[in-house]
Amino acid sequence: MDYTEQVQRNLEQVKARIGEAAIRAGRKADDVKLVAVSKTFPTEAILAAWEAGQRDFGENRPEEGERKIPIVQEATGPGKMVWHMIGHIQSRKAKLVVEYFNFVHSVDRLSIARKLNQLAIEARCKIPVLLECNVSGEASKYGYDLSKWQHEAAIRQTFFTEIETLMGLPGLEPRGLMTMAPIVADPEETRPVFASLRSLGTELQARYPQVSWDQLSMGMTDDFEVAVEEGATLVRIGRAIFGSR
Ligand SMILES: *Cc1c(COP(=O)(O)O)cnc(C)c1O
């Protein structure tokens, strides 16, 4: 089997597993969007997935997107894919994000939100964004520190204040929350992390009904089935599709 066939088979298997997990939780397979995380993989890999019908792709480095996205678009034609920025964004790379990406999962501080907002206004576009939340408390992660949000009112209040500022930025369209679970031996251990993000999303829906907080980006190769059972609407999967990095 050549690499293209392998990627296509992997995609089918991942989609089937997403569908089964959704059904186990009483959800519909179509409620979960698969974002194929192509970081570190060559454009040939992206095009193999494209041929199998995959349209949503994720990259975690703006400069890698700048290099790969034009090559892919040359082959597919422009505007056919949705590019998701899923990694931490340095301020000086924000311009590349607005230029090449359609959806940002990794807004982790107000300064980057303001920067993206300003660039979006200049580009006359509105960028759908998710707020990256560190709900596990793992020290290595980016994202708003929300590990104790359910217990400490001050932590909630700080976050709500940030959200209110963010909702006032006309170049951004807040859509929901994103998280990364810690790496653990048993994916079952990630369940409380995903459940916590979902319940934070529910809290925001009740508090700020003027915004549709309908997106939860959670779940990767090792834990996506648990994430789907806990309400993920976007799963970000790389290795299970493209092979090990
Ligand atoms: C790399 C990455 C993924 C995908 O990880 P896999 O283990 O390859 O599925 C998902 N989300 C983020 C933020 C990543 O950086």
Side-chain angles (χ1 to χ4, degrees):
M1 197 178 346
D2 70 13
Y3 182 67
T4 299
E5 286 170 338
Q6 187 64 56
V7 165
Q8 294 175 351
R9 176 169 302 195
N10 290 346
L11 262 174
E12 273 167 41
Q13 285 172 353
V14 165
K15 282 194 267 192
R17 287 169 60 191
I18 291 170
E20 285 157 21
I23 286 160
R24 277 198 298 280
R27 308 179 59 208
K28 293 199 286 289
D30 287 352
D31 294 345
V32 186
K33 181 164 281 176
L34 169 60
V35 178
V37 177
S38 50
K39 69 180 188 203
T40 77
F41 294 101
T43 52
E44 290 76 17
I46 299 171
L47 289 169
W50 152 267
E51 275 175 39
Q54 181 63 26
R55 293 295 176 266
D56 286 77
F57 291 86
E59 289 281 341
N60 70 334
R61 293 209 166 87
E63 63 276 28
E64 193 175 333
E66 179 191 30
R67 181 169 58 76
K68 285 154 68 175
I69 294 170
I71 297 172
V72 172
Q73 281 182 346
E74 186 72 29
T76 63
K80 303 275 175 56
M81 292 172 162
V82 179
W83 288 95
H84 299 251
M85 171 44 60
I86 62 173
H88 178 71
I89 306 164
Q90 291 171 283
S91 182
R92 62 197 168 86
K93 300 282 167 62
K95 201 167 171 26
L96 296 178
V97 174
V98 176
E99 192 169 344
Y100 291 101
F101 290 84
N102 314 101
F103 203 120
V104 178
H105 294 223
S106 45
V107 169
D108 56 8
R109 59 202 190 283
L110 208 46
S111 61
I112 199 67
R114 289 190 200 280
K115 182 86 194 169
L116 291 169
N117 172 60
Q118 174 204 327
L119 292 162
I121 291 169
E122 285 166 19
R124 296 175 201 284
C125 66
K126 204 170 168 92
I127 311 170
V129 298
L130 307 178
L131 296 171
E132 181 170 353
C133 300
N134 179 350
V135 283
S136 73
E138 210 186 18
S140 64
K141 294 275 190 291
Y142 289 112
Y144 288 97
D145 180 3
L146 290 159
S147 55
K148 302 202 183 79
W149 77 269
Q150 281 159 310
H151 308 291
E152 292 183 21
I155 290 177
R156 284 197 295 280
Q157 198 45 59
T158 306
F159 186 55
F160 294 153
T161 305
E162 297 256 327
I163 286 189
E164 284 158 25
T165 309
L166 189 111
M167 288 193 309
L169 302 176
L172 303 185
E173 183 190 356
R175 294 296 307 274
L177 305 175
M178 179 274 226
T179 201
M180 284 175 86
I183 295 161
V184 289
D186 177 3
E188 208 38 57
E189 290 175 41
T190 62
R191 191 177 296 278
V193 171
F194 298 139
S196 174
L197 192 77
R198 182 189 52 195
S199 99
L200 182 55
T202 307
E203 183 93 11
L204 295 181
Q205 272 169 350
R207 219 180 154 90
Y208 304 112
Q210 64 274 41
V211 168
S212 65
W213 299 97
D214 57 349
Q215 299 298 316
L216 289 175
S217 170
M218 54 190 200
M220 314 185 359
T221 289
D222 293 323
D223 54 24
F224 71 88
E225 285 154 306
V226 179
V228 168
E229 287 169 10
E230 291 301 326
T233 61
L234 292 154
V235 287
R236 312 176 308 267
I237 300 177
R239 288 170 299 134
I241 298 169
F242 298 113
S244 56
R245 258 181 223 105

